[in-house]
Amino acid sequence: MRRREIIVGNWKMNGLVESALDLAREIRQGLKEREDKRLLCEVVICPPATALYAVNQNMGGFSSLKLGAQDMSQHPNGAYTGEVAGLMLRDVGCRYVILGHSERRQLHGETDDRVAAKVSAAFRDGLVPIVCLGETLEERQQGRTFDVVRRQLDVVLEELKEPRNRQQLVVAYEPVWAIGTGLNATPEQAQEVHGFLRTHLNTHLGSDIGQRIRIIYGGSMKPSNAASLLLQEDVDGGLIGGASLRAVDFLGIIDALPN
Ligand code: PGA
């Protein structure tokens, strides 16, 4: 089944408002020039929280470029110093939110259960979660890749009570050893895990829903390796860190989408 691809730029903690606006403008301009690609995919940029408002104000009503956040609180509001709620993200134009990124899991103690709570909060607040999962190098070497991604996915699936939410979910397979290292999974390695996740989704949600959920790949995706990754049957897009910080590279990945 052909799913609409989704290309997501995760800018992480990079850029001040002015540079974020410049980058967003360049990407928007590039997308305007690529009508064929716009039909094929959804494009989402996830600037740092401080730039979301300004970027949204400067989208100029161009609906082909969507805005996402890099994390959110599971709480709707209250005494949670430093946290940002889903409704606040919606308020500044976000449609998507990245959850459970390995940097949050590893550097900020985010557990599977907390990620699951955030997924349910994202749906409650009208955001589409892009849930990241993936194994470390050690886990891969020990042959535990499938166990790890299955565990990370299962807690999230438990939260998906509403049928409408189920098919909206975006799953991002991001092998930790490939993030920011320049070392990407081979297309075969990516497909192996994506295929496993697809089968798991089909088994647990029914294939009518499992076949619709987009599973995207993240980890050193760049223009030179994007085409072969995106060609894989169950790779439905990309979550791009480093290469999303330069418009030519990000657009180069969009150009690599198979027609
Ligand atoms: P990378 O990051 O493209 O720089 O490897 C991907 C990510 O962290 O989402």
Side-chain angles (χ1 to χ4, degrees), residues 58-99:
N58 281 269
M59 289 282 207
F62 183 62
S63 61
S64 298
L65 183 58
K66 303 206 174 85
L67 208 55
Q70 300 172 16
D71 184 33
M72 63 174 270
S73 167
Q74 69 270 40
H75 303 292
N77 61 274
Y80 301 102
T81 301
E83 294 280 76
V84 179
L87 282 182
M88 296 170 182
L89 297 174
R90 276 269 307 283
D91 195 31
V92 292
C94 290
R95 301 271 288 276
Y96 288 87
V97 59
I98 298 170
L99 294 175

Side-chain angles (χ1 to χ4, degrees), residues 173 190-198 215-217 234-236:
Y173 169 56
Q191 173 56 33
E192 190 185 25
V193 180
H194 284 232
F196 172 81
L197 292 169
R198 174 86 55 215
I215 308 175
I216 65 178
Y217 169 80
D234 290 296
V235 177
D236 308 314

Side-chain angles (χ1 to χ4, degrees), residues 3-24:
R3 290 162 288 269
R4 187 141 189 258
E5 313 252 353
I6 175 165
I7 301 289
V8 184
N10 174 10
W11 297 3
K12 307 192 180 181
M13 199 174 72
N14 293 294
L16 304 181
V17 171
E18 274 316 310
S19 61
L21 286 175
D22 288 344
L23 182 52

